[in-house]
Amino acid sequence: MFYSTNYQSPIGEMLIVSDGDAVNGIWFYSQKNFKSTIKEYIVEKEDLAIFKDVKLWFDNYFNGLNPKIDFKIKPMGSEFRLKVWKRLSEIPYGETLTYGEIASEISPTMSAQAVGGAVGANPIAIIIPCHRVIGKNGKMTGYAAGIDKKIELLKLENILNDYARGGCCG
């Protein structure tokens, strides 16, 4: 059984899903793969302790802080996707990596496109920071919730300010 609550972020309403112990999904209502894997098993339940922790994390994040994740996350996916999502979780606040860089870290024969597929299927928006993955030469490429949201998140972390000054992050 999975439980859900809503969170109104400054860039759009979000759904937070938990099994009661860990966060299993966070989606913007507008994103492509919204609730695709567990939608028929979700019961709305606002009062879980983990939801309070996640909402506080988001409040701090959207106020320009770099809060520590002190709750469990448990995304569901293939071994490959879990490996990519773990790597995304290691990208520091305010930094970026390219799809190609992640691919080459995983395997010398891995394609950036394969990594892109896993990044696009990330079920835990922002907390698993797929918005910190950019295309070759700093190009802003795909984000399941829309490039506009990706840009806002990168601005919040002062990443786009570095690009404006001619620098590169990551």
Side-chain angles (χ1 to χ4, degrees):
M1 179 69 60
F2 293 95
Y3 306 98
S4 71
T5 190
N6 293 311
Y7 179 77
Q8 184 60 53
S9 84
I11 61 172
E13 189 172 11
M14 303 172 79
L15 180 77
I16 305 167
V17 173
S18 172
D19 61 9
D21 183 53
V23 174
N24 307 101
I26 299 175
W27 298 271
F28 285 96
Y29 276 95
S30 61
Q31 80 184 63
K32 288 188 272 186
N33 57 358
F34 172 60
K35 295 196 303 183
S36 61
T37 53
I38 57 175
K39 63 184 171 190
E40 60 270 3
Y41 305 105
I42 299 174
V43 174
E44 191 169 329
K45 185 175 174 108
E46 299 283 327
D47 61 350
L48 289 179
I50 195 163
F51 289 154
K52 182 179 171 186
D53 295 341
V54 173
K55 288 178 178 183
L56 177 61
W57 187 93
F58 274 125
D59 288 345
N60 287 327
Y61 177 83
F62 283 111
N63 280 307
L65 302 175
N66 179 16
K68 180 181 181 228
I69 297 169
D70 57 359
F71 45 84
K72 293 181 191 175
I73 63 170
K74 190 167 115 183
M76 295 179 289
S78 68
E79 184 178 337
F80 171 69
R81 286 182 173 181
L82 291 170
K83 184 183 278 191
V84 171
W85 299 336
K86 181 180 184 309
R87 181 61 186 105
L88 298 181
S89 296
E90 297 166 353
I91 303 171
Y93 180 95
E95 296 183 24
T96 61
L97 284 177
T98 67
Y99 296 94
E101 288 170 328
I102 294 170
S104 66
E105 288 179 14
I106 292 173
S107 166
T109 59
M110 177 67 53
S111 74
Q113 290 79 10
V115 169
V119 171
N122 173 19
I124 302 180
I126 304 173
I127 290 174
I128 296 178
C130 55
H131 62 279
R132 295 181 189 149
V133 183
I134 58 173
K136 191 175 181 179
N137 300 321
K139 184 177 179 189
M140 289 296 126
T141 58
Y143 188 63
I147 293 290
D148 59 327
K149 286 184 175 48
K150 181 174 190 162
I151 289 169
E152 289 303 314
L153 294 169
L154 295 176
K155 282 181 183 175
L156 180 71
E157 295 184 24
N158 290 314
I159 294 171
L160 288 184
N161 294 337
D162 288 339
Y163 282 106
R165 288 190 294 269
C168 181
C169 305

